[in-house]
């Protein structure tokens, strides 16, 4: 009679509540508690060590970060829990081809460090919308990109990380999904809201090591398809990667905090080497999980999928968590839960800090033009709380999108929203003839096309192998990577066409804002100079902005320490302000270090070519 038991019946006995009992032992709980204590200690140390009482100190860490925390933070900001769950899940469904998404970053990280960041630093900007304002003038581009970037944070970054982390926590701890999310976000928000970018980068660095150690341990325990067409993988993926790695606030902000250009480039190279690892640490374990737990991870029948993971479209997202919960012994299972928590929290902290920077510097200053520095810091911290609430409400949409494959969801949303932005930034830096009218209408047309495709997919679904989607072929019939290519070139044609039909921007407004004029030393007349003069006048009127030390009570003093307002210091002289401004816009390098980073960049490119050729 035993032979009549189906595999699905046999595997169905290990329901999530039973798996959650496996982590309730002293070894696992001790590892998790130690992890939280160490991470909070590092975050608080960075919070008290650095000056968070200024906008530059909070959002750019005073441009004093060396290369290895930059590289580790770039990697940790990129590799969220969405990669552990999404890469492993798509690896279980499609094989190793999904690793090409990760290796594509090796080239774009070098493009970021060698071409984009020098322009951003010379421009003296803190955010990407601020660069567009300086490059093109006007406010509508800055406001447009700020709003779109915040929407991407909600629809793509925060909600997908929350969802993927919640899958693991649901299996591991048996907690209510939203209770677990709330606890994690509360802890994450504490040192993000209080500590600023320096706190985020140092905790990211710690968590990058935790992620790598845990992933190597799991790897040691493990005994081109129609989904991803190769032309789209080569060209469409590169377009999306330009947007993500070279123009995204979360990524670029880490580079802008670098001590000098050599440290920025070295950080990009370190991140490039680290990006070789997800193939072996995430994709291959996902493929192994499909073999070991076929009935759950590779379920096709909707009723069976609902039984195993609660959604009809598939359970491939459970590939990595299943491997951890079923395979790892006590203690190491707790370590792997800490790895997932590390990836979730590092990504969220990075996104929270960068999103609050966008809101504060590019939107709030438009609403409150005479806001003091203290008010801006408080507004940025309160905005993080609002962002968390909106992101949690978006989570249900992710569960049913792209056949339940999280990584395809993330890449498809990027393909619908990112190409027009990539086109604008590429042309802004490398084609000085492009003007504000061309950039604006290129972005608007690209946004309309991308939203039509995205909304249609949400409305009709993407279908599955058992049920086709009813989305019209003219809208959804093209793979999302091909759509990214089309959207990119349509945006470029519109930008160039409108720019050539309208008045060009004189060179005097473009010194050090585009590649052809990057080394000009003449004084630049910024297109937003009038607005900056008003801002400087407002800063002069701010004064101390606080109560004298002797009149503050204990509660007020504790509040100031918590938010970083206690370090006021004397007002800088004009010479000191000029020296500080030069430091923030300096792109010089020592000859020896320039040669070393250039040689390492060539070697990294060689490694990338070999990896693609060997595994192709």
């Amino acid at each position: 009679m035993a032979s009549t038991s189906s595999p699905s019946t046999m595997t169905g006995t290990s329901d999530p509540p039973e798996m959650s009992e496996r982590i309730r032992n002293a070894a696992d709980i001790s590892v998790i508690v130690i992890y939280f204590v160490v991470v909070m200690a590092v975050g608080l140390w960075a919070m008290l060590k650095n000056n968070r009482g200024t906008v530059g100190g909070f959002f750019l860490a005073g441009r004093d970060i060396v290369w290895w925390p930059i590289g580790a933070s770039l990697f940790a900001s990129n590799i969220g829990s969405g990669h552990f769950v999404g890469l492993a899940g798509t690896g279980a469904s499609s094989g190793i081809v999904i690793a090409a998404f990760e290796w594509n970053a090796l080239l774009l990280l070098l493009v970021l460090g060698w071409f984009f960041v020098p322009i951003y630093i010379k421009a003296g900007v803190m955010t990407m919308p601020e660069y567009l304002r300086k490059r093109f003038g006007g406010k509508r581009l800055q406001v447009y990109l700020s709003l779109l970037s915040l929407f991407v944070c909600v629809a793509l970054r925060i909600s997908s990380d929350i969802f993927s982390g919640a899958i693991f926590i649901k299996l591991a701890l048996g907690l209510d999904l939203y209770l677990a999310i709330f606890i994690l976000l509360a802890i994450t928000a504490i040192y993000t809201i209080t500590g600023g970018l320096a706190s985020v980068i140092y905790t990211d660095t710690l968590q990058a090591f935790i992620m790598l150690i845990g992933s190597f341990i799991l790897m040691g325990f493990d005994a081109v398809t129609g989904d991803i067409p190769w032309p789209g993988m080569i060209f469409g993926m590169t377009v999306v990667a330009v947007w993500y790695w070279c123009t995204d606030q979360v990524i670029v902000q880490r580079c802008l905090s670098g001590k000098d250009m050599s440290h920025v480039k070295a950080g990009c190279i370190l991140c490039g080497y680290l990006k070789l690892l997800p193939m072996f640490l995430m994709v291959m374990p996902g493929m192994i999980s499909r073999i070991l737990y076929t009935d759950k991870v590779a379920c096709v029948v909707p009723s069976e999928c609902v039984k195993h993971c609660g959604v009809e479209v598939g359970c491939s997202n459970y590939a990595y968590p299943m491997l951890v919960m079923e395979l790892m012994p006590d203690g190491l299972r707790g370590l792997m839960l800490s790895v997932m928590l590390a990836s979730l929290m590092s990504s969220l902290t990075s996104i929270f800090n960068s999103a609050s920077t966008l809101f504060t510097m590019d939107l709030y200053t438009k609403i409150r033009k005479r806001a003091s520095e203290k008010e801006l810091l408080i507004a940025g911290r309160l905005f993080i709380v609002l962002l968390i609430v909106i992101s949690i409400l978006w989570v249900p949409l992710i569960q049913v999108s792209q056949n339940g494959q999280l990584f395809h969801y993330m890449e498809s949303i990027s393909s619908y929203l990112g190409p027009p932005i990539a086109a604008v930034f590429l042309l802004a830096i490398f084609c000085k003839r492009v003007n504000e009218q061309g950039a604006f209408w290129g972005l608007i047309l690209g946004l309309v096309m991308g939203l039509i495709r995205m909304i249609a997919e949400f409305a009709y679904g993407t279908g599955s192998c058992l049920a086709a989607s009813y989305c019209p072929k003219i809208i959804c019939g093209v793979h999302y990577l091909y759509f990214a290519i089309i959207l990119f070139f349509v945006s470029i044609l519109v930008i160039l066409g409108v720019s050539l039909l309208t008045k060009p921007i004189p060179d005097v407004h473009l010194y050090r804002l585009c590649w052809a004029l990057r080394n000009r030393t003449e004084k630049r007349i910024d297109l937003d100079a009038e607005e900056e003069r008003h801002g400087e006048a407002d800063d002069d009127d701010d004064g101390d902005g606080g109560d004298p030390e002797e009149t503050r009570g204990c509660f007020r003093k504790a509040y100031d320490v918590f938010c970083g307002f206690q370090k006021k210091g004397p007002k800088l002289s004009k010479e000191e302000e000029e020296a500080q401004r030069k430091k923030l816009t300096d792109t010089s390098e020592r000859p020896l270090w320039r040669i070393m980073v250039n040689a390492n960049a060539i070697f990294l490119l060689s490694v990338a070519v070999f990896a693609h050729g060997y595994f192709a």
Side-chain angles (χ1 to χ4, degrees), residues 5 9 54 58 77 87 98 173 212 268 272 279 292 324 331 336 366 377 381 400 432 448 529 556 591 602 612:
S5 299
T9 305
T54 66
F58 185 80
S77 300
L87 271 179
I98 196 65
L173 302 180
L212 293 176
C268 292
M279 163 74 162
L292 295 179
V324 171
M336 287 309 301
K366 300 291 183 295
L377 292 171
R381 284 152 172 154
V400 295
K432 68 176 185 176
V448 170
R556 178 59 185 274
I602 294 172
H612 278 87

Side-chain angles (χ1 to χ4, degrees), residues 102-163:
E102 297 302 294
W103 291 350
N104 185 262
L106 273 64
L107 171 62
L108 273 301
L109 278 162
L110 300 182
V111 173
L112 168 68
W114 268 256
F115 296 100
F116 281 80
V117 173
I119 298 295
Y120 297 148
I121 291 177
K122 284 177 179 289
V125 298
M126 288 192 210
T127 68
M128 298 302 93
E130 185 184 0
Y131 170 75
L132 290 186
R133 191 189 73 196
K134 285 184 177 293
R135 171 64 175 81
F136 296 113
K139 297 180 181 178
R140 56 182 183 176
L141 282 178
Q142 182 182 18
V143 173
Y144 167 91
L145 188 57
S146 298
L147 291 173
L148 181 61
S149 299
L150 293 175
F151 173 73
V152 168
C153 282
V154 172
L156 181 60
R157 306 280 169 68
I158 303 175
S159 51
S160 60
D161 278 338
I162 290 172
F163 168 66

